[in-house]
Amino acid sequence: KTYCQVFYKIFDFHHNMTPLLNTKEMKSDHLSIIAMHPHAILPLHGYIWGAICHQLLPDLYGCGAATEIAMRLPVLRHTLRYLSTRSADKKGLFHQLQIEEENLFILPGGVAEIFYSHRRRQPNSLPFTQTIKAKRYGLMKLSLQTGARIFPAFVFGASDMLDQLFHVDQNVASKEKDAKAFDIGLMMQSISRKLKGGIALYYGQYYLPVPHTPKLSMVLGDPIYPVENTSERNVNGNKLTCKRIANPTDAQVKELMDRYVNALQCLFEQYKVEAGYPNDRLVIT
């Protein structure tokens, strides 16, 4: 994880975590899920998170989650396992949190969010819409079942590292001239979902798979507790959790989802000027 600190200089990396180090939330041994957006085409910021945890937040580090295809690819799977990453299946994630009592780092947007990613071709000061896939009811249900709090996180600049030939734009469907590109992007997104792995035609500098180097700003929000003002010990008694709900209702899941989406929106608005994107707008689907 120390080696990943090389990305700090490459991407002129900034973060908001130093003032958080001595807070009550960071010192707590509460079971946690770190949910970071956007996924981007290649989530290099996931490696930066590993470096930041190793350097500043060792108690918050746990295991990561990746698609089944990613865990099967040569070289990549060895790198992911070195960073304690596992397959993102529901049973495995539940076991990781509930039984092994390890915190979870996840990019909830997953395959769908990969296809929302496209590099801006204009100055950062001009208006731009960033779209993320954050309405993940399965993740909210997992939080309620395990009692794990959720830290919302956002990385400004993550979508500017690479571009792709066919992305899914929420606004482009009504534009006839872009209808073909929209259809292809949507089709590739659908195929990737079925294969449980992103298959995107991407490129970077000089039209090669070499990422551009935008400034990256990683911001971590206040934790969201699934059942507020409750606490108990996890199954093995080593981690603190909220009250666990084995079978949460749809209303409970939706209520937690609404709080999560609102926290992400507020986090984006709070830091977008400081990060250098003053006129950007965040669309959450």
Side-chain angles (χ1 to χ4, degrees):
K1 305 173 189 73
T2 305
Y3 297 124
C4 295
Q5 292 179 15
V6 70
F7 289 126
Y8 292 177
K9 188 169 290 187
I10 293 174
F11 294 106
D12 187 20
F13 177 65
H14 292 73
H15 63 84
N16 74 330
M17 288 167 233
T18 303
L20 306 176
L21 295 180
N22 295 318
T23 61
K24 178 182 176 181
E25 286 78 9
M26 287 300 179
K27 290 183 176 181
S28 170
D29 64 345
H30 203 291
L31 192 65
S32 302
I33 297 172
I34 296 85
M36 187 172 288
H37 297 272
H39 185 288
I41 298 170
L42 289 181
L44 297 180
H45 44 294
Y47 294 98
I48 295 178
W49 170 253
I52 277 287
C53 281
H54 182 76
Q55 183 181 9
L56 300 177
L57 305 167
D59 293 335
L60 199 56
Y61 195 81
C63 287
T67 62
E68 187 65 32
I69 286 183
M71 297 305 298
R72 292 176 180 271
L73 293 175
V75 181
L76 179 59
R77 68 183 179 190
H78 297 294
T79 304
L80 292 174
R81 285 174 181 168
Y82 171 72
L83 294 172
S84 304
T85 302
R86 302 175 182 178
S87 178
D89 64 278
K90 294 178 181 178
K91 288 184 178 179
L93 296 182
F94 184 85
H95 184 271
Q96 174 188 323
L97 287 162
Q98 185 83 318
I99 307 302
E100 297 186 19
E101 299 183 310
E102 292 182 314
N103 295 330
L104 170 65
F105 169 74
I106 191 168
L107 300 164
V111 172
E113 202 170 80
I114 291 175
F115 290 90
Y116 290 151
S117 179
H118 63 108
R119 181 171 169 263
R120 70 177 67 223
R121 300 180 180 277
Q122 61 190 42
N124 291 353
S125 59
L126 295 179
F128 189 81
T129 299
Q130 299 191 44
T131 305
I132 62 173
K133 180 72 174 178
K135 295 181 180 179
R136 295 298 197 186
Y137 291 93
L139 182 64
M140 300 303 110
K141 186 176 181 180
L142 180 67
S143 174
L144 287 161
Q145 290 175 326
T146 61
R149 61 184 179 178
I150 304 175
F151 280 94
F154 194 90
V155 183
F156 292 91
S159 296
D160 292 333
M161 289 187 280
L162 293 164
D163 208 341
Q164 57 183 321
L165 291 179
F166 308 109
H167 72 275
V168 175
D169 191 325
Q170 292 296 298
N171 300 314
V172 83
S174 60
K175 299 179 182 179
E176 186 176 351
K177 64 178 182 179
D178 291 327
K180 184 177 181 181
F182 175 81
D183 287 344
I184 296 175
L186 201 61
M187 179 186 70
M188 292 183 69
Q189 183 189 61
S190 177
I191 293 173
S192 295
R193 280 178 169 178
K194 290 178 181 178
L195 294 175
K196 297 183 178 180
I199 302 176
L201 301 176
Y202 66 89
Y203 58 92
Q205 297 187 63
Y206 315 112
Y207 293 94
L208 298 173
V210 179
H212 294 275
T213 56
K215 172 186 173 182
L216 294 185
S217 298
M218 181 180 291
V219 293
L220 191 70
D222 294 329
I224 301 167
Y225 294 88
V227 182
E228 296 180 297
N229 302 316
T230 64
S231 66
E232 58 187 33
R233 284 287 165 182
N234 203 6
V235 174
N236 296 326
N238 296 319
K239 285 276 191 178
L240 193 66
T241 72
C242 292
K243 178 183 177 181
R244 298 186 296 277
I245 303 175
N247 297 296
T249 65
D250 290 344
Q252 289 171 322
V253 172
K254 185 180 183 303
E255 188 273 335
L256 179 57
M257 173 60 69
D258 290 342
R259 284 196 282 141
Y260 174 66
V261 168
N262 182 64
L264 269 175
Q265 192 74 60
C266 291
L267 186 66
F268 181 87
E269 294 297 328
Q270 180 181 354
Y271 286 101
K272 69 178 185 180
V273 174
E274 186 178 344
Y277 302 89
N279 297 307
D280 275 23
R281 182 172 70 99
L282 182 66
V283 174
I284 299 177
T285 63

